[in-house]
Amino acid sequence: MGSHPFVICDVFTDRPLQGNQLAVFTHASAIDDGLLHALAREMHFSETVFVYPGDAAADFRIRIFTPNVELPFAGHPVLGTGFVLAAGTTAGAIRLRCDAGVIPIRLDREGEALRFGWMTQVTPRIEPMPQPDALLRALGVQKAALPVDVYDNGVRHAFVGLETEAEVARLQPDLAALARLLPSTGISCFAGAARRWKTRMFGPGLGVPEDPATGSAAGPLAVHLARYERIAFDSEIEISQGVEISRPSTLFARVSGTPDRIERVEVGGSAVIVARGEFSL
């Protein structure tokens, strides 16, 4: 029987019991691979992370699981794991390797306390979604305010713009239909203007009916808005998510480049550690 310690933190918030929950198993080399998915289902958060020793390019390697699948990348697990591993150190940066690549995180401190982090994400691949009408029907909306495109930075998201934040708040999608249509893709619905945007992300095929805060979608949202001239390149946006499921979250994102050449995608936020424990298995 082994002891497997874990840390729980709330990500994209500076207040405990808000944001997106994350479990981080900090010494995963001692855990049999066959237990990883079972542990993720036991935690039953949007994602659970398992941490391994790093290499010359990264301080640590991580694996990310939803209750249903393993992901090559996800935003709140990367940022939250950075906070967990840097806690109790003086590190101003940390590099995490996931299957999508090495993600660097810059950490802002106030004294010894971690306050904020910015991760540089993989530049997403972009493709238009063919015949999005079935997706709009499953969401229960008549039309999208912008073209519906799919972005892939290690996890796929389809972006559906609506005219008002109230429309986003009222969404009651057919989750079973979404899972059939896009079994390996999240659906990010958004509205807003200028610096402030509201989103909801539905991922029933990924095992996440609705996500409280989706860092992997925040960077591509900034790209999407900049490509369609809703924001300027190099401007910072603030994203509100999770209110409808009582987990209010705040994410920040910015993108540099041009519509034809995306140069840098960054997503930022805070995180707080709320619990520690261990499994004896």
Side-chain angles (χ1 to χ4, degrees), residues 233-245:
F233 280 92
D234 296 307
S235 62
E236 182 180 302
I237 61 171
E238 179 179 326
I239 303 165
S240 171
Q241 188 178 342
V243 172
E244 288 75 18
I245 53 175

Side-chain angles (χ1 to χ4, degrees), residues 18-81:
Q18 297 186 11
N20 203 347
Q21 299 157 291
L22 177 70
V24 180
F25 286 82
T26 52
H27 297 85
S29 296
I31 305 175
D32 185 274
D33 275 8
L35 288 176
L36 301 183
H37 221 145
L39 285 168
R41 286 193 295 268
E42 183 78 8
M43 301 308 300
H44 205 66
F45 295 156
S46 295
E47 280 99 9
T48 295
V49 168
F50 300 90
V51 179
Y52 301 85
D55 53 37
D59 300 297
F60 299 91
R61 180 173 69 91
I62 64 172
R63 295 177 67 182
I64 305 166
F65 287 78
T66 78
N68 280 16
V69 297
E70 183 173 4
L71 297 176
F73 171 70
H76 101 272
V78 168
L79 186 65
T81 301

Side-chain angles (χ1 to χ4, degrees), residues 49-183:
V49 168
F50 300 90
V51 179
Y52 301 85
D55 53 37
D59 300 297
F60 299 91
R61 180 173 69 91
I62 64 172
R63 295 177 67 182
I64 305 166
F65 287 78
T66 78
N68 280 16
V69 297
E70 183 173 4
L71 297 176
F73 171 70
H76 101 272
V78 168
L79 186 65
T81 301
F83 270 73
V84 168
L85 296 176
T89 77
T90 59
I94 193 168
R95 300 162 302 166
L96 301 181
R97 180 181 294 282
C98 56
D99 284 351
V102 175
I103 309 296
I105 305 169
R106 299 192 317 279
L107 299 165
D108 296 337
R109 294 179 179 271
E110 187 175 297
E112 294 184 358
L114 287 169
R115 295 301 185 196
F116 200 89
W118 281 102
M119 60 179 150
T120 301
Q121 297 186 342
V122 174
T123 300
R125 297 186 297 274
I126 308 167
E127 60 187 39
M129 182 168 179
Q131 301 179 329
D133 291 351
L135 172 58
L136 298 181
R137 286 195 298 273
L139 290 169
V141 301
Q142 295 297 314
K143 62 179 182 177
L146 291 174
V148 179
D149 291 336
V150 177
Y151 292 73
D152 187 346
N153 58 4
V155 60
R156 289 168 56 86
H157 290 283
F159 285 84
V160 179
L162 301 179
E163 293 292 346
T164 68
E165 294 186 20
E167 287 182 82
V168 176
R170 288 196 299 267
L171 287 171
Q172 294 184 328
D174 183 336
L175 295 177
L178 290 181
R180 289 193 300 271
L181 283 168
L182 296 170

